[in-house]
Amino acid sequence: MTTNETVITTKDVRLYYGEHEALHGINLDFQKSQITALIGPSGCGKSTYLRCLNRMNDLIHDVTITGSFKIDGHDIYRPQQDVVSLRKKVGMVFQQPNPFPFSVYDNVAYGLRVQGIKDKKIISQKVEESLKQAAVWDEVKDDLTKNALSFSGGQQQRICIARLLAVKPDVILLDEPTSALDPISSAKIEEMLLQIKDQYTIIIVTHSMQQASRISDKTAFMLNGDLVEYGDTKKIFLNPEQEATSDYLNGKFG
Amino acid sequence: MSTVFEDRLEKLRQNFTDMGVDVSEQIYQSTKSYIDHDVKLAQQVIDGDGEVNGNEIKLEKHAMDLIALQQPVATDFRVIISYLKSSTDLERIGDNAVGIAKETIQAKGNPRMPDVEEVIAKITKHIRKMLEQVLEAYTTFDALIAPTIVQEDHKIDEYYQTTRKVITTGILANPETAIAASSYLMVIRLLERIGDHIVNLAEYLVYCETGKVVELGETDQQLS
């Protein structure tokens, strides 16, 4: 495995819902040009952890987060951190595709317009670029004015990814992005992630062991709010250190 | 399937083809060295065996990674299993070729039996043709060749039996040839074993195409 630049460093991450500690001190680093898969049974804290990385948990009542989160060396929980610009840098894709109820074009152009870009030529160019990168251009190029919601789930998800790519994030967080999709659409998204990964730091929460093994460079296995094992995907899938990792991968629990 | 999978499978295919070419060359050179009494060539075969063994390990690692990380099923799974199983037989064929090369070095300088050496040359030609046919079939995973391979192997077995008799009679007639004769016995045995490994290669072709695990050498009816 090549050593890439570490983009995200998190140390002793603890998250409390009221008094209840849901994450028990997670230490994880993420590198550029790599896909890292977070796996573990439901309720193990993987999505909760993922949402810490673009401060989505801030919106939840009575949540306390401690520990250190650094992206490119900057503490993302520092008081002067602008959350909107953080979420621009750290984009997120959810389980259910959530395009805005506008045209495909306006969906992808949305973030650019928010940024204040007015030049139509530049916007059109970036829309096309992003849709191409998200591997959905060929399917939507003749229907750019059609409502994004009229496309299939798989296409909607890729439109959402294009919308995210348009604002040029550094980090892409994906929370079970294909669990609502059929195998062909899932394969398209996996293939697309592999194609774009060189330019980004990608973290994906997935319940599909196959997906984790097929596309990720590194895998982190979490259980009951603890990080059990983290390492090269090949190592985790062929020869994990922990018995619990092996048991989970073999479907013995979870 | 994804292009990543296709790329990796292609690499596996390339590993296998390389191994096939190397092993075929090993047989050619070791038997040539034996028939020509060429100790230098024999040594080359012995020295080159590390590469074949290294290729086998590489292929095995590739295959294991593919199975564990890409979790192939159906046809893709059978293709990978066929490569994995046949790489072991290819490597064994290579070992047997090295055995022949070692005999070249040991037998040099002793009185010989020219007629036996002629038969050995003939068997070798047969074996190489069999290997080429089966490796050719692997490029398309076409198991149609299997019955032919089994028939060819029966011929090799017959050659083996008759040549053995010729050799023992030869020793009785001229005891000075005993050292060479023991070497001949070894070489024809090694060639016969190579034939069996080639039949195994044909078995994995049948598995790949039909999903059936067969033992082709034993009974012919499984072929129909």
Side-chain angles (χ1 to χ4, degrees):
Chain A
M1 192 63 58
T2 50
T3 47
N4 290 308
E5 171 199 346
T6 298
V7 176
I8 304 174
T9 314
T10 66
K11 281 203 181 90
D12 196 29
V13 172
R14 288 169 196 275
L15 181 139
Y16 303 84
Y17 292 111
E19 296 289 302
H20 172 72
E21 188 179 271
L23 296 175
H24 312 305
I26 308 283
N27 298 299
L28 273 174
D29 293 347
F30 303 95
Q31 276 86 33
K32 193 181 154 97
S33 312
Q34 288 201 337
I35 299 177
T36 304
L38 302 183
I39 60 168
S42 296
C44 73
K46 53 195 190 304
S47 291
T48 303
Y49 173 81
L50 190 77
R51 284 200 305 267
C52 290
L53 298 174
N54 68 347
R55 293 184 55 174
M56 292 290 280
N57 290 321
D58 291 14
L59 308 169
I60 301 170
H61 173 69
D62 210 17
V63 161
T64 317
I65 302 166
T66 64
S68 120
F69 294 85
K70 283 186 175 159
I71 297 184
D72 288 334
H74 299 293
D75 176 6
I76 58 167
Y77 281 85
R78 68 187 189 278
Q80 65 270 39
Q81 172 71 55
D82 171 28
V83 179
V84 174
S85 74
L86 171 71
R87 292 189 189 138
K88 180 184 154 259
K89 197 178 157 96
V90 184
M92 193 159 193
V93 179
F94 301 88
Q95 183 176 0
Q96 288 297 335
N98 55 355
F100 300 131
F102 320 143
S103 70
V104 174
Y105 187 95
D106 288 340
N107 259 277
V108 184
Y110 189 85
L112 302 167
R113 288 177 180 143
V114 169
Q115 278 179 24
I117 300 174
K118 292 206 173 71
D119 188 330
K120 282 191 177 152
K121 230 176 167 181
I122 293 180
I123 292 179
S124 292
Q125 194 190 329
K126 289 202 170 176
V127 166
E128 181 174 338
E129 240 174 59
S130 307
L131 287 165
K132 277 183 178 162
Q133 240 194 334
V136 69
W137 172 253
D138 288 338
E139 293 157 58
V140 301
K141 65 177 179 212
D142 299 324
D143 299 303
L144 290 176
T145 53
K146 237 168 109 177
N147 193 314
L149 290 165
S150 66
F151 289 89
S152 76
Q155 288 166 332
Q156 287 185 26
Q157 193 65 304
R158 279 175 287 146
I159 291 167
C160 291
I161 293 172
R163 181 177 68 188
L164 173 151
L165 295 176
V167 295
K168 299 255 173 277
D170 294 333
V171 179
I172 303 174
L173 310 176
L174 303 111
D175 194 356
E176 294 183 49
T178 63
S179 52
L181 307 179
D182 68 274
I184 302 286
S185 301
S186 304
K188 280 186 182 165
I189 288 184
E190 289 179 14
E191 188 80 358
M192 182 266 295
L193 290 174
L194 286 169
Q195 267 165 18
I196 65 169
K197 75 168 192 175
D198 279 350
Q199 305 158 53
Y200 303 95
T201 302
I202 299 176
I203 308 169
I204 179 168
V205 163
T206 177
H207 272 134
S208 158
M209 300 306 121
Q210 285 90 335
Q211 184 166 63
S213 70
R214 277 194 300 258
I215 67 168
S216 70
D217 301 288
K218 290 201 162 169
T219 297
F221 169 55
M222 290 176 67
L223 186 62
N224 301 329
D226 284 309
L227 175 67
V228 175
E229 192 166 352
Y230 179 43
D232 287 350
T233 296
K234 204 166 160 179
K235 168 94 174 105
I236 300 276
F237 277 81
L238 272 102
N239 191 15
E241 300 278 334
Q242 305 294 326
E243 194 74 35
T245 312
S246 179
D247 285 350
Y248 179 69
L249 292 175
N250 283 310
K252 290 185 185 157
F253 68 88
Chain B
M1 261 294 168
S2 73
T3 41
V4 176
F5 178 80
E6 292 297 335
D7 286 351
R8 290 187 185 161
L9 191 59
E10 183 52 40
K11 253 186 211 148
L12 195 66
R13 191 172 293 139
Q14 197 55 52
N15 276 158
F16 181 80
T17 312
D18 289 349
M19 250 189 108
V21 170
D22 286 350
V23 167
S24 180
E25 194 63 20
Q26 270 185 316
I27 301 181
Y28 172 68
Q29 290 187 339
S30 65
T31 47
K32 186 174 183 336
S33 78
Y34 192 79
I35 291 155
D36 297 348
H37 313 172
D38 184 343
V39 175
K40 215 172 135 190
L41 184 60
Q43 191 58 48
Q44 271 178 31
V45 176
I46 297 166
D47 296 341
D49 195 45
E51 199 176 323
V52 174
N53 294 347
N55 278 338
E56 191 209 0
I57 292 171
K58 235 192 269 173
L59 188 147
E60 281 179 349
K61 278 190 183 158
H62 271 143
M64 287 173 193
D65 288 356
L66 264 175
I67 293 171
L69 299 176
Q70 302 287 324
Q71 292 145 19
V73 291
T75 317
D76 290 335
F77 175 78
R78 296 206 305 272
V79 166
I80 294 167
I81 292 296
S82 303
Y83 281 138
L84 188 60
K85 296 272 289 174
S86 37
S87 71
T88 309
D89 281 282
L90 277 180
E91 193 267 336
R92 295 269 163 79
I93 293 174
D95 287 347
N96 290 337
V98 168
I100 295 172
K102 284 181 178 160
E103 286 302 319
T104 305
I105 294 168
Q106 276 164 20
K108 176 121 182 151
N110 290 295
R112 292 171 168 261
M113 300 177 181
D115 45 341
V116 172
E117 292 191 0
E118 255 173 52
V119 183
I120 289 177
K122 221 190 245 174
I123 301 177
T124 305
K125 227 172 139 185
H126 234 86
I127 291 275
R128 289 195 61 212
K129 195 179 155 210
M130 277 169 75
L131 184 62
E132 273 163 28
Q133 281 175 317
V134 87
L135 289 178
E136 175 72 30
Y138 263 87
T139 57
T140 51
F141 282 104
D142 182 357
L144 273 177
I145 194 75
T148 317
I149 296 294
V150 174
Q151 278 167 14
E152 295 287 318
D153 187 53
H154 285 329
K155 277 189 212 156
I156 303 281
D157 292 346
E158 278 168 30
Y159 269 128
Y160 173 67
Q161 295 300 347
T162 50
T163 316
R164 243 181 96 171
K165 276 180 201 142
V166 174
I167 297 167
T168 35
T169 327
I171 305 173
L172 291 173
N174 184 3
E176 281 185 1
T177 57
I179 294 175
S182 77
S183 166
Y184 294 146
L185 286 171
M186 178 65 92
V187 169
I188 57 166
R189 176 76 188 144
L190 290 169
L191 288 170
E192 189 270 333
R193 288 297 302 145
I194 292 177
D196 294 344
H197 286 299
I198 297 174
V199 171
N200 288 348
L201 294 179
E203 286 172 2
Y204 310 138
L205 272 180
V206 174
Y207 169 71
C208 192
E209 195 176 302
T210 65
K212 286 184 191 147
V213 178
V214 291
E215 190 64 55
L216 294 181
E218 308 291 312
T219 49
D220 289 356
Q221 71 243 32
Q222 281 161 311
L223 289 173
S224 52

